[in-house]
Each structure stands twice: as C-alpha cells, then as structure tokens.
Amino acid sequence: MRIFEKIDKMQAFLTAHNVKNDAIGFVPTMGALHQGHISLIKRALVENEVVVCSIFVNPTQFNKQEDLDNYPRTLEEDLKKLEQAGCHVAFVPSVAEMYPKPDNRKFDFGDLEHVMEGEFRPGHFNGVGVVVSKLLEIVKPHRAYFGQKDFQQLAVIRKLVKLINSPVEVIGCPTMREDDGLAMSSRNLRLSADDRKHSLLLYQALTKAKQMADEGKSPDEIRGEVKALFDASQNVELEYFEIANSETLQPVTDWKNAQESTACIAAWLNGVRLIDNMTLFP
Ligand code: AMP
C-alpha cells in the first residue's frame, strides 16, 4: 500500500492509473477505522482497479472544539488495517495540506440540512461538503463509497455532487453492527464499559420502531414510545428521534405518502454522541 501525505505526490501516482483507464474507488474517512470502514474498502476493491482511502479528521465539520479534540486518532493501526484489507492508497494529509487557505464556500443543501443532524450540529454539513468536494477534486474517483450509518450525510453528498457537477458515482453501503446490534462507530472507542452496555438502547429503540411500523402503528405513536424508552433511562439522553421520508428527510406524519421511511436517532452517553438509523417498511 502506498501512503501519501502530499496531494501532488498522490496525484502523480494516480496519473499512471488514469492513463490505463483504471477505475478509481474512493473511501473518505476520519480514521479510527473499524469493520464498517473496511466493508466500504472491500466493496470498492470489488468494483475498481485502484482503491484510495483518505484519513483526515476534518476540523471544518466539527461544531464543538471539544468533540474535535477528543476525536479518536489511531493512524498506525488504521494503516495496518487498510494494508490488510488490500487497500492500494492511503491519503493522510495534514490540515495545512487540505486547507492552505480558508475555504469559505457555502453550499445550499436545501431542506436536507435543516432537520435532525442539521438542526443539532449547525455548520456540520457545510463542513462535510467543503472537505468532500475538495477530496473528490483531488482524487477524481469514478466511484465514492459512503455508509448508510450516516444516513443524512449520504443524502447531503448525493446533493453535493449535483451542486458541484461531479461525475463521481456515489455508492451507499449498509451499516455494519456489533453482534449485539450497536452500529460500529469510531466514537464507540470513547464509551466506558458501562456506557457500552447502555448504548444498546439506540438499537433497541430503532428495532422497536420498526416492529411498531410493521404492526401499522402511526409515526406519532412510535415517536411517543421511543421517547418513553429514553425517559426511563438514566444513562442515555435522547437528542432526537425522527421518522423521516428517506428521500426528502422531512418528518413523516402518516404512512400514506411516505414510500420508504427511515427512523433516525441521536443520543448522548456521558459526553459521547452516537447516531444510528433503520429503514422502516410500513
Ligand atoms: P467516518 O470515519 O466516521 O467519517 O466514516 C467514514 C465512512 O464510513 C462514512 O461514509 C461512514 O458512513 C462510514 N461508516 C461509518 N460507520 C459505519 C458502519 N458501522 N457501517 C458502514 N459504514 C460506516
């Protein structure tokens, strides 16, 4: 595996592949890699001749300095995992390399950015848009792989590539979970042993929501039930639970017009924020 810190060096390497018309698959990450990330790499390896994974903790998408400071950084182990998975290129730029000068672009993601994550993390998606557009410009991949774990982010990225007229094909990949159901996340590393147990409430709430939707319960009945589950917990604080139209991400009020809906959740455990989601087929 080749490791590049500098944009020009990586681009020189990729040029040789471009000349051969090799398809380039790209997996952007913030590191602290787990099997969820590796599942994206594996998929990219099946579909492309060359796979590039970036590891960059992007400061512009953090709306809390503390969250940025505490974000887990495990570069050495990450590189080993990428190598083992068969990844061809790791791109590990510094902040100065990515932002030689401030990038003040503002993207208009429309209604997508005002709900859920957008409401509770102001500026987050603009920061994601800035860094992903830069990375796509640098790597020029044919396909880019994103996890459905970050469901709203995936919708924002699909919108982004339209806004910037990028020819990249955006591919959404299923959420990888621990055996007990907890969605894999770099932030899980920050959970204490007790909180790791309590964190299961997110998956339990989503499973309950799906079960209720299958039984024909209304979106509001489900919202009430999930709120009650969290009200009864002393350890997990619900930030939001929403049943959103999977395309528009707007709240679903009844099942009539919602072709496919997704239950989305964010909750806090002692300063660690976790998100998860589950598709509902009412
Ligand atoms: P992150 O490093 O958290 O920015 O994530 C990098 C990419 O990995 C994003 O596209 C995420 O959606 C994806 N990802 C994170 N966790 C998982 C997971 N449990 N399963 C599948 N993909 C994931």
Side-chain angles (χ1 to χ4, degrees), residues 152-207:
Q152 192 170 1
Q153 170 174 279
L154 180 56
V156 164
I157 302 286
R158 290 192 196 283
K159 176 96 182 185
L160 174 76
V161 300
K162 284 192 191 136
L163 289 176
I164 62 174
N165 294 313
S166 166
V168 72
E169 184 185 348
V170 172
I171 297 176
C173 304
T175 301
M176 295 292 122
R177 299 182 178 280
E178 304 291 353
D179 288 342
D180 59 8
L182 177 69
M184 291 180 184
S185 164
S186 305
R187 288 190 164 89
N188 295 351
L189 290 176
R190 292 184 49 215
L191 295 172
S192 68
D194 271 351
D195 283 339
R196 171 65 184 81
K197 288 183 203 141
H198 300 137
S199 66
L200 265 191
L201 192 57
L202 280 86
Y203 181 66
Q204 284 162 355
L206 291 172
T207 313

Side-chain angles (χ1 to χ4, degrees), residues 23-27 38-51 85-88 143 145 171:
I24 298 177
F26 178 43
V27 181
I38 300 302
S39 71
L40 271 52
I41 302 281
K42 291 260 160 81
R43 169 95 184 257
L45 281 166
V46 173
E47 298 177 352
N48 303 275
E49 274 84 33
V50 193
V51 173
C87 183
H88 302 107
R143 302 183 185 89
Y145 297 80
I171 297 176

Side-chain angles (χ1 to χ4, degrees), residues 19 47 70 78 82-83 89 92 120 129 140-141 144-145 160 165-169 188 216 232 246 251 257 271 277 280:
V19 170
E47 298 177 352
N70 291 332
D78 290 349
L82 287 179
E83 173 105 55
V89 175
V92 291
F120 288 96
K140 296 186 177 52
Y145 297 80
L160 174 76
N165 294 313
S166 166
V168 72
E169 184 185 348
N188 295 351
S246 300
N257 297 320
N277 66 83
L280 308 178

